Amino acid sequence: MAAVQVASSLLGGSPREAPRELPRELGAGFRRLSARLCALRPDDSSSYRTEIHLLLDQLISENYSEGGGVAPEDVSTLLVQTCRLVPLNQNHLVSKVSQLMHHLLNTLQVIVDEQNLDFLLAYTTSALQQCSCWTHVQVLQALAALVYGNGSKCQKYLPDLLGKSGLLVKLSDLTQPDPEVRRAAVHCMANLCLSVPGQPYLEEPYQNICFQAFLTTLQSPKSSDMDDITFCMLLQNALKGIQSLLNGGKMKLTQTEELGALLAVLKKSMFHGLPGINIEMPTVLYPTPLPQYDGRPPARSQLSEPGASRPAMNKKKKSKIKPKKMQQGEEEEEEESSGEREAALASSLGRASLHEGGGVRPPSPLGVQGLPFEGGGAAGKDRVPSPFGPSAWKRLSSSESDYSDAEGGMQSKMRSYQAKVRQGALACLLSTVKSIEKKVLYGYWSAFVSDTPELGSPQSVSLTTLTLKDPSPKTRACALQVLSAILEGSKQFLSVAEDTSDHRRAFTPFSVMIASSIRELHRCLLLALVAESSSQTLTQIIKCLANLVSNSPYNRLKLSLLTKVWNQIKPYIRHKDVNVRVSSLTLLGAVVSTHAPLPEVQLLLQQPCSSGLSNSNSATPHLCHPDGWRKAPAGPCLEEASLGSPAGSSEPCWLIRLCISTVVLPREGCCAGVDAGCAAGSTHVPSPMRLEALQVLAHLARGYFSVTQVYLMELGEVVCKCMGEVDPSVQLHGAKLLEELGMGIIQQYKSDSPLAPSQRVPVTLVALFWTAVLDGPLPRALQSSEHPTLQASACDALSSILPDAFSSLPSDWQILCVTVLLGLNDSRNRLVKAAASRALGVYVLFPCLRQDVIFVADTANAILMSLQDKSLNVRAKAAWSLGNLTDTLIVNMDTPDPSFQEEFSGLLLLNMLRSAIEASRDKDKVKSNAVRALGNLLHFLQPSHIEKPRFAEIVEESIQALVSAVLTEAAMKVRWNACYAMGNAFKNPALPLGTAPWTSQAYNALTSVVTSCKNFKVRIRSAAALSLPGRRERYGSADQFAQIWRALVTALQRSEDTADFLEFKYSASLRTQICQALIHLLSLASAPDLPCIKETLELNGDMVQPYILQFLKSGAEGDDSGAPHGQQERDQMVRTALEHVSSVQDLPGDTAKRAIEGFLQDTLTIYFDSVRC
C-alpha cells in the first residue's frame, strides 16, 4: 500500500501521535471508536452530523504507526459502515470518509476483500459523479487506495473508470483545470495497472487507454497553474503506471512509433531537474545507428572535464553520516556537493589520463548478487539492494511531512522530488529494455550510449551523463543498472566494433562508431569509479564495467583499455566494503576470461604487485596496505613457484597470490571490523570473497594456464583445503578449480598444441598432483550423496585427469576411480548419473584402459543402462559416452593383437546396436551421438558376427536408422554425423554392401543430400562417404553407379547455389570433395558404366573440367573431408583413373572409353602446361 502514500501530503500533515502517558492495548482505541460508529443509525439531524464529524476526526487522528491489534476485516467493516452512514449529498462528510479510507488502507497496509471492495468502489465512483468538484482529490485518493493490489477485481467498474468517457480518463485529461485532481486521477490509473502475481492482468484495451494517458502526461509540459512538486508527483505516477504495464501487465511495445515515443519521453524525464542539463527531445525516437541531431551549439559544460562533473550547488562540505535503516516512506537520498566530487576527480586522475578509459568483464552478468555460485552471497543481497526493487515505488511516495526546514527546506525538498522523477524514469527505462528484443533495442543504442564526450544535444547526453553528473547516489546507481541491462547480451552487436587502424574516410563506418562508444563507456565509467563515494553506487559501477568487458571485442580494439581498468580497479580489492571487494574480484576475473588469452592481459599478469596501485589510492581512503595479502610467510611451494615464474620474473603473479591468500589465509585485522558478510567467529574473509577468488583462479587456469601452471602444487593444496570444508559452495568451487586445472594440463598435451614439450607440466608432476588430490577429500566428495551437485562436479573433475598421468598412478587409485564412477552411474540423482556417464566416456578412451575387455564391457553395460533413463540430459551424456566407447572399439581393431575382438561379447554388441538404433529416434541431443555409435559398430562387426541371421537383421535396421537420420530435417549436426557414420560403415569389407537390399537406400540417401542439402558441410561429408567404397562391386548395379555419378555431377554444378551467404566459405571444400569422388568413381568404373559417364561429360564436361583443374592445382584449404592435399597425390589420382579407364575392355562399337580417355588426357595436358608456365 506504500504507493498510495504519494498523495498523503494532501491530508494536511502526518497523523498525530496518540498520547503516551499510559500504555494501552494495541488497537483498543480503534475498536472503541469503531464500536461507537457502528452503533449509530442514519439521521438527518445536526447532532448526528456533529457526532459523525467527531468520530471521523478521532479515527483519522488515532495512532496506527505500529499497526498492531487491528484486523484487516475490521477495517473493511468499518469503512463499509461509514459509507452507509454518510449520504452522498453531504460533501464535507464524504470528504472526511474519503480521507479516513485513504488513511486507514494506506497506513495499515490493508487490501480490501472482494465483497466489501464492490460496495466501496460503488460508493467512491458515485461520489465522483455526484459530489462537488472540491471533494474529488480526497475521493480519488480513497479510490487509489482501494484499487491498489485489487485491479483484477475491479472489472465491473472498469468501463465507468477507463471507458471512452470514463471518470479517470476525463479527470486525467490535459483539459482538467485542477492540477491536483489530474495528479490524483493519474495515480488511480497507475494503481489499477499494478498487477499481483497469480491474478489476471488488466485487459489489453484498458492497458492501451492507460498507456496513452500516461504517455500524454509525460509528454505535456508543466502548466502555469501547477507547482513544481505537484508536477513531479504527476510524472512519478505516470512513470509508475507505465512500469506496471511493462512488468506485471507484460505489455508488448510492437509499434515503432509507440516505442519511439516512450523512449523519447523517458530520455527527457531521466534528466528532469538535473542542474546544467536542459534538453529538448523530439516526440518520437526512431531506430538508427547514426546521430539524429546536429547543428545544436555545444553547451559550456563538457563531460570530459573532470572538474565539471557536478554543478556547484552547495559548496559547504557535508559531514559523513553513517547510513541508518530507512522507515517506510522515507528515503536515504544523499546528495553530494559538487565540490567533493570535483576534488575526487581532480585528485584521482587528470583529464588526459583517462581520456580513452578501460573496462573489465565478469564471469557472469549476475556479478555480486549471483552468489553463492557467482560471488555475491548473503552479503551481496543484503548490502546492495536493487534501486528498482519492490520498495522502489514506496520511496517515491513520501509525504510532504517527511521534510522540514531543518532538513533542507523547499530547495532540498524540490531536488529530492526531481531525483525521484529521474529514478522513476530510469526504472521505467529498465523495464522497457527488458521487455523488447535486443535487436530492436540496439537500434536506439546511440540515443542512450554516447560515442563522444561532447555535450549540448540530446544525442550526446546519455546514461553516462547521469553517472557522472547526478548529485543523487541512488539515481547514479539506477542509471548504471539500466546501462548494465543494455550491455548485457550485447556481445554480438558490439562484435562489429573495430578501431585497430586509423580510419581516414569521408564518412564514419558503423564499426568505428561502435568502437568509439565502447571507448567512451570505458572513459566515463572509470571517471565515475574514482569520483564515487557511495559504496552501493561504487558496486554498481564495477558491475557495469564488468558487463562492458563481458561483451567488448578487445581483440578488435586498440590496446590499453583493459590496462587502464586493470590499474584502476586494483586498489578496490582492499576497499572497506565487502561488496566492492567482491565485485572488484569479479571484474579482475572478467579481464582474465574475456577473449583469453590476450597478449595485453598476459603482460598485466606479469606486472609487479605494486604496479598501478598509486594512481587511485586517493579515491579509496579506506584501503589497507595494497600488498597486505603478501605479509603471510610464503611456503615451500611458493618459493619453488617464484623461481619458475613466467618470463623470468622473480616476482610471482600477484593476482594468483591474492586469490590464494583470500581463500586460505585468515582475514586481516584492518578489514575484519567492516565485513557484514562475515559469519560470527569466522576466521576467513567473507564467503563471497573466497568464492569469487576461486572463480578467478578457475578463469586463470582456463585462459592463462601457462601462468597458472607454476602454482600447480600449491593450487592442489588450495583445492584440497576447499573440498575439505563444510560449506558446500566452497567445496563446489574447489572442485570446479580442480577440473579447470586438469583441463589446462590436457590442453597442453593435445596433438595440436603449439606448446613445446619442455614447457609442459611434466607427467610425473601431474601424477604427483593427482595423487595428492586423490589422497585428500576428493573421494569423500564423490561419495557425498547429500550434496549431489558436489558429487557431479567431483565426477567432472575426475574426468579431467591426463591419460598419461592416470596410467602412472598406483593401481589402487586407478581401481578407486573406475569403481566409484561405475557405482555413481547407478545414482538416483540424474545430475550425478549424467556426470558419471560422461566421465566413463572419457575413461574408456584412456590407452591403459581401452584394451581391458572387462572394463570396456562393464562401461558398455553401464552406459546402456543410462540410455534408458527418463532424463534427457542423462541420455545425451550416455549417448556421447557410447560414441566414445565405439571409437575405442575402432582403435582396438588397428592393434596387432586380435584378442580384444575375439573376447568382446557378441551379445553385448547386439545390445549396443539395438540401444543405438533406439537412441537414434530420440531428441537431437541424443541422436547425434547415437548415429556416430551406429557407424562405429557397423565398422567393428566381424565376419563371424555378420554370418549370423540375427546380426543380418540388426545390420539392416541400423542402416535404415542411418538413412532416416541422413534424410530427416533434424539439426545439421545429426545429419553430418549420420553421413559420417554411413561412410564409416562402408569401410567394413565384411558388410554385404552392393548386394544387400539396403544398398540402394543408403546410396539414395547420400545422393539426395549431396545435391540438395542447405548445409554445405553436410554435403561435403556425404560426398566423402560416396567416395569410400574401395571396389566396384560395392557400388551395386550399373544403374546404381550411374545414379551416383549423375548426382555428383549435379552437386558440382550446384556447388555455389545457396541462399545462405555463410555457406559460400565451404563451397571450395565441397568442390574438392566432389572432384575426388568423381575421380575415385572413374578409377573403379567398369565397361557398363562408361556410356553414362560419357553422356554426362558431353553435356557438362565444360563445367566439370575447370573444377578438376582447380582441384589439381590447389585442392581446398582447411576442409574436413579427408581429401588429399598434396599436389603429387592429386596428380596420381587422375593418372590412376586414366590408366584404369584405358585398361577397361570396352564393349564392341562403344566409343565411351575413348571419349573418357580423351577428357582425362586433355585435363592432364592443360594442367601440366599451366604448371610449366
Side-chain angles (χ1 to χ4, degrees):
M1 289 305 300
V4 184
Q5 294 176 357
V6 171
S8 62
S9 61
L10 298 168
L11 294 177
S14 58
R16 297 188 300 273
E17 291 190 6
R20 303 183 63 180
E21 295 86 2
L22 295 172
R24 59 179 181 175
E25 184 185 353
L26 291 175
F30 171 84
R31 286 191 292 274
R32 176 176 52 81
L33 294 170
S34 178
R36 287 176 57 190
L37 190 69
C38 292
L40 293 177
R41 292 294 175 265
D43 193 354
D44 197 26
S45 65
S46 59
S47 60
Y48 170 79
R49 288 195 296 273
T50 302
E51 179 72 10
I52 287 285
H53 273 292
L54 180 62
L55 286 173
L56 291 177
D57 287 338
Q58 290 178 326
L59 281 166
I60 291 173
S61 63
E62 185 74 17
N63 180 21
Y64 303 105
S65 59
E66 297 182 6
V70 180
E73 56 271 19
D74 292 341
V75 174
S76 300
T77 303
L78 171 68
L79 293 177
V80 170
Q81 176 63 17
T82 305
C83 292
R84 285 175 176 156
L85 293 174
V86 177
L88 293 176
N89 59 359
Q90 297 290 330
N91 288 326
H92 287 280
L93 284 175
V94 170
S95 175
K96 281 195 178 181
V97 169
S98 299
Q99 290 182 44
L100 177 65
M101 193 180 301
H102 167 257
H103 183 60
L104 289 177
L105 297 180
N106 181 40
T107 306
L108 297 176
Q109 303 283 292
V110 173
I111 303 293
V112 180
D113 60 277
E114 192 165 358
Q115 181 178 355
N116 290 323
L117 176 68
D118 188 67
F119 177 84
L120 295 174
L121 280 176
Y123 183 86
T124 51
T125 304
S126 300
L128 286 174
Q129 295 169 333
Q130 300 178 31
C131 294
S132 300
C133 294
W134 66 266
T135 66
H136 285 180
V137 172
Q138 287 77 19
V139 176
L140 285 169
Q141 287 177 357
L143 181 59
L146 283 171
V147 300
Y148 185 87
N150 274 323
S152 61
K153 302 173 186 175
C154 302
Q155 300 293 330
K156 177 180 175 182
Y157 297 92
L158 289 181
D160 293 333
L161 297 174
L162 297 177
K164 278 192 174 182
S165 57
L167 291 169
L168 296 181
V169 174
K170 288 191 297 184
L171 294 176
S172 64
D173 192 75
L174 298 178
T175 58
Q176 169 58 234
D178 188 341
E180 288 290 352
V181 171
R182 182 180 165 206
R183 183 202 57 75
V186 172
H187 187 197
C188 281
M189 295 176 74
N191 281 3
L192 271 171
C193 295
L194 184 68
S195 64
V196 177
Q199 294 186 9
Y201 300 133
L202 198 64
E203 293 177 4
E204 187 174 352
Y206 295 122
Q207 285 190 10
N208 293 331
I209 290 172
C210 291
F211 179 80
Q212 290 303 322
F214 297 143
L215 192 61
T216 303
T217 300
L218 293 171
Q219 290 172 334
S220 59
K222 183 173 78 72
S223 59
S224 57
D225 58 344
M226 183 180 293
D227 64 84
D228 290 335
I229 289 182
T230 302
F231 183 59
C232 287
M233 296 171 72
L234 175 66
L235 295 179
Q236 290 176 53
N237 289 327
L239 291 166
K240 183 187 73 169
I242 291 180
Q243 189 185 11
S244 295
L245 288 173
L246 293 173
N247 288 351
K250 306 298 180 185
M251 184 176 181
K252 298 299 180 184
L253 301 170
T254 56
Q255 301 298 321
T256 303
E257 294 281 335
E258 191 178 58
L259 176 60
L262 176 60
L263 291 177
V265 79
L266 289 180
K267 182 169 183 181
K268 182 178 179 180
S269 299
M270 73 187 197
F271 293 103
H272 179 79
L274 184 64
I277 302 291
N278 185 21
I279 61 172
E280 291 297 329
M281 291 295 298
T283 307
V284 178
L285 280 178
Y286 291 100
T288 171
L290 301 176
Q292 300 179 51
Y293 316 97
D294 48 24
R296 293 179 57 86
R300 294 180 182 178
S301 178
Q302 299 294 318
L303 198 60
S304 58
E305 296 285 351
S309 65
R310 289 287 186 277
M313 292 181 298
N314 182 12
K315 293 293 183 180
K316 181 181 285 188
K317 192 167 184 178
K318 296 184 179 180
S319 60
K320 294 188 177 179
I321 302 174
K322 292 183 180 179
K324 61 181 180 178
K325 186 177 180 182
M326 292 293 106
Q327 299 298 325
Q328 180 182 347
E330 296 179 345
E331 178 177 356
E332 180 188 359
E333 190 65 42
E334 300 176 4
E335 293 189 5
E336 302 166 359
S337 70
S338 62
E340 288 180 299
R341 299 280 294 176
E342 291 167 9
L345 277 170
S347 63
S348 300
L349 96 148
R351 175 181 178 182
S353 66
L354 276 179
H355 187 70
E356 303 230 340
V360 194
R361 160 180 186 215
S364 81
L366 296 177
V368 179
Q369 296 181 353
L371 298 174
F373 300 111
E374 291 296 337
K381 289 184 179 180
D382 295 341
R383 296 183 52 121
V384 190
S386 168
F388 304 139
S391 62
W393 285 114
K394 295 179 182 179
R395 292 195 293 267
L396 295 182
S397 307
S398 298
S399 168
E400 287 184 8
S401 60
D402 292 336
Y403 301 90
S404 65
D405 293 338
E407 293 174 320
M410 285 300 297
Q411 186 180 6
S412 174
K413 178 180 175 181
M414 188 66 238
R415 286 200 302 268
S416 178
Y417 271 94
Q418 289 171 340
K420 291 173 187 176
V421 172
R422 298 196 295 276
Q423 292 160 22
L426 290 167
C428 199
L429 180 58
L430 180 65
S431 298
T432 307
V433 166
K434 292 181 176 180
S435 67
I436 59 178
E437 295 181 22
K438 290 292 184 182
K439 63 181 180 181
V440 176
L441 170 66
Y442 294 133
Y444 301 92
W445 172 270
S446 59
F448 297 96
V449 181
S450 177
D451 62 348
T452 172
E454 298 298 322
L455 279 179
S457 70
Q459 191 67 13
S460 59
V461 292
S462 61
L463 288 165
T464 51
T465 309
L466 289 173
T467 66
L468 288 171
K469 295 185 69 65
D470 200 293
S472 163
K474 189 177 298 181
T475 309
R476 298 197 295 273
C478 290
L480 288 162
Q481 192 167 352
V482 176
L483 186 56
S484 288
I486 293 174
L487 289 171
E488 188 175 339
S490 63
K491 181 175 289 186
Q492 185 176 0
F493 172 71
L494 297 181
S495 65
V496 302
E498 183 175 13
D499 71 345
T500 53
S501 59
D502 292 330
H503 298 272
R504 302 181 183 275
R505 306 180 187 177
F507 66 94
T508 302
F510 180 71
S511 59
V512 176
M513 192 198 77
I514 296 300
S516 180
S517 293
I518 294 173
R519 278 200 314 274
E520 179 65 8
L521 282 171
H522 281 79
R523 187 187 73 83
C524 292
L525 288 174
L526 283 180
L527 280 172
L529 179 71
V530 297
E532 188 58 63
S533 60
S534 165
S535 295
Q536 292 184 4
T537 309
L538 192 60
T539 303
Q540 290 290 344
I541 293 172
I542 299 174
K543 290 165 68 176
C544 190
L545 268 170
N547 248 335
L548 175 61
V549 178
S550 298
N551 298 283
S552 296
Y554 293 101
N555 54 335
R556 295 169 59 90
L557 303 173
K558 289 179 180 177
L559 297 178
S560 83
L561 288 180
L562 284 176
T563 301
K564 290 174 181 178
V565 175
W566 182 274
N567 290 331
Q568 289 302 319
I569 200 62
K570 283 169 78 173
Y572 292 91
I573 58 179
R574 304 297 297 174
H575 194 274
K576 65 175 183 177
D577 187 273
V578 63
N579 296 299
V580 175
R581 300 205 303 275
V582 172
S583 57
S584 300
L585 270 179
T586 303
L587 189 50
L588 289 171
V591 174
V592 298
S593 59
T594 180
H595 298 282
L598 287 174
E600 182 180 3
V601 177
Q602 190 88 30
L603 291 173
L604 291 172
L605 289 170
Q606 296 169 11
Q607 282 183 352
C609 296
S610 58
S611 175
L613 286 174
S614 60
N615 289 353
S616 301
N617 279 342
S618 59
T620 52
H622 301 283
L623 297 180
C624 303
H625 190 277
D627 288 338
W629 52 269
R630 298 187 65 201
K631 292 177 184 175
C637 294
L638 173 59
E639 297 301 329
E640 295 171 10
S642 299
L643 295 174
S645 92
S649 171
S650 60
E651 198 152 353
C653 174
W654 71 270
L655 183 56
I656 294 180
R657 294 262 26 103
L658 166 68
C659 293
I660 291 176
S661 64
T662 301
V663 173
V664 302
L665 295 183
R667 58 178 175 172
E668 298 175 15
C670 63
C671 294
V674 294
D675 291 332
C678 287
S682 172
T683 59
H684 292 288
V685 297
S687 180
M689 282 285 292
R690 302 182 69 205
L691 299 181
E692 200 61 47
L694 285 168
Q695 284 196 92
V696 173
L697 289 173
H699 291 316
L700 284 166
R702 185 186 307 126
Y704 299 90
F705 189 75
S706 59
V707 178
T708 313
Q709 70 182 71
V710 180
Y711 306 90
L712 182 63
M713 296 307 295
E714 189 173 0
L715 289 172
E717 295 175 12
V718 172
V719 167
C720 291
K721 177 175 176 56
C722 291
M723 297 187 69
E725 291 194 16
V726 178
D727 187 351
S729 59
V730 175
Q731 293 177 305
L732 192 62
H733 280 71
K736 183 63 178 176
L737 175 58
L738 176 60
E739 181 187 358
E740 294 295 349
L741 290 170
M743 293 305 299
I745 296 171
I746 290 174
Q747 292 296 326
Q748 287 191 337
Y749 278 84
K750 282 191 172 181
S751 57
D752 58 352
S753 173
L755 209 62
S758 60
Q759 295 178 308
R760 299 171 179 167
V761 181
V763 174
T764 53
L765 186 61
V766 179
L768 185 63
F769 170 82
W770 279 103
T771 300
V773 171
L774 288 169
D775 197 24
L778 181 59
R780 187 168 65 252
L782 286 164
Q783 299 170 25
S784 179
S785 57
E786 67 274 14
H787 298 301
T789 306
L790 177 61
Q791 274 187 297
S793 292
C795 286
D796 292 336
L798 199 60
S799 68
S800 66
I801 186 170
L802 184 71
D804 294 344
F806 183 85
S807 60
S808 301
L809 291 177
S811 58
D812 290 348
W813 293 124
Q814 294 184 20
I815 294 171
L816 171 69
C817 293
V818 172
T819 305
V820 168
L821 290 177
L822 286 170
L824 290 178
N825 193 74
D826 293 331
S827 173
R828 294 182 179 179
N829 186 278
R830 294 170 182 176
L831 193 64
V832 176
K833 193 169 187 176
S837 293
R838 181 192 171 277
L840 288 171
V842 173
Y843 274 46
V844 81
L845 295 174
F846 285 4
C848 62
L849 293 176
R850 66 187 177 207
Q851 291 187 343
D852 184 338
V853 177
I854 296 177
F855 168 72
V856 174
D858 288 344
T859 301
N861 285 316
I863 291 171
L864 294 184
M865 182 181 66
S866 295
L867 272 175
Q868 308 301 318
D869 197 89
K870 294 180 180 179
S871 167
L872 175 61
N873 187 43
V874 172
R875 298 198 305 275
K877 300 292 186 186
W880 180 82
S881 295
L882 181 62
N884 283 6
L885 189 145
T886 55
D887 286 342
T888 290
L889 299 183
I890 301 302
V891 171
N892 287 337
M893 290 178 65
D894 298 331
T895 58
D897 185 6
S899 59
F900 183 91
Q901 291 95 307
E902 295 171 358
E903 295 177 13
F904 198 79
S905 167
L907 180 60
L908 181 56
L909 267 179
L910 199 64
N911 290 335
M912 290 169 69
L913 280 165
R914 286 173 179 157
S915 294
I917 292 170
E918 186 65 28
S920 70
R921 304 187 185 104
D922 207 330
K923 303 290 185 182
D924 285 352
K925 290 175 67 174
V926 180
K927 189 185 298 185
S928 59
N929 283 299
V931 295
R932 176 167 72 100
L934 273 177
N936 284 332
L937 289 169
L938 291 173
H939 185 185
F940 180 78
L941 289 177
Q942 306 300 306
S944 58
H945 297 133
I946 297 173
E947 292 170 358
K948 299 176 181 177
R950 59 180 179 176
F951 271 98
E953 182 181 345
I954 204 71
V955 165
E956 183 173 1
E957 289 182 25
S958 300
I959 294 293
Q960 288 173 349
L962 291 179
V963 167
S964 176
V966 168
L967 295 176
T968 187
E969 290 298 324
M972 291 306 167
K973 182 180 179 181
V974 174
R975 303 184 73 180
W976 190 95
N977 278 2
C979 292
Y980 183 90
M982 196 82 80
N984 210 356
F986 289 174
K987 293 177 184 178
N988 189 345
L991 286 180
L993 179 63
T995 59
W998 47 260
T999 300
S1000 60
Q1001 297 178 37
Y1003 283 128
N1004 290 345
L1006 292 173
T1007 54
S1008 172
V1009 168
V1010 80
T1011 57
S1012 61
C1013 185
K1014 296 178 182 178
N1015 187 284
F1016 275 22
K1017 295 183 80 171
V1018 176
R1019 290 197 203 184
I1020 292 169
R1021 183 46 57 192
S1022 61
L1026 289 170
S1027 65
L1028 282 172
R1031 299 195 308 273
R1032 168 61 189 85
E1033 56 270 21
R1034 294 178 67 79
Y1035 281 100
S1037 64
D1039 290 340
Q1040 184 71 64
F1041 187 94
Q1043 180 192 356
I1044 296 170
W1045 174 268
R1046 291 192 190 98
L1048 287 170
V1049 171
T1050 303
L1052 190 61
Q1053 195 171 12
R1054 297 177 180 175
S1055 60
E1056 293 184 358
D1057 297 347
T1058 178
D1060 188 353
F1061 180 77
L1062 296 176
E1063 295 298 325
F1064 275 111
K1065 63 182 177 181
Y1066 302 113
S1067 59
S1069 297
L1070 174 60
R1071 287 191 291 271
T1072 296
Q1073 188 57 61
I1074 293 173
C1075 288
Q1076 182 189 355
L1078 287 171
I1079 296 168
H1080 177 73
L1081 288 176
L1082 284 172
S1083 66
L1084 297 178
S1086 60
D1089 303 325
L1090 299 183
C1092 169
I1093 297 174
K1094 173 194 171 187
E1095 179 184 348
T1096 55
L1097 290 178
E1098 286 176 349
L1099 292 173
N1100 302 292
D1102 293 341
M1103 178 273 296
V1104 174
Q1105 191 175 63
Y1107 287 135
I1108 293 182
L1109 287 170
Q1110 181 65 30
F1111 166 74
L1112 289 170
K1113 290 176 184 177
S1114 60
E1117 296 298 329
D1119 66 276
D1120 60 351
S1121 59
H1125 294 295
Q1127 190 170 2
Q1128 293 182 349
E1129 189 178 353
R1130 295 193 296 271
D1131 301 359
Q1132 188 58 43
M1133 283 186 64
V1134 179
R1135 288 198 187 100
T1136 301
L1138 178 57
E1139 291 171 2
H1140 173 77
V1141 172
S1142 301
S1143 67
V1144 172
Q1145 186 69 37
D1146 55 347
L1147 300 175
D1150 191 357
T1151 60
K1153 174 182 173 180
R1154 189 173 303 170
I1156 297 170
E1157 286 178 321
F1159 174 83
L1160 292 174
Q1161 286 171 348
D1162 287 347
T1163 303
L1164 285 172
T1165 301
I1166 295 170
Y1167 167 67
F1168 287 124
D1169 287 346
S1170 65
V1171 170
R1172 282 193 291 268
C1173 294

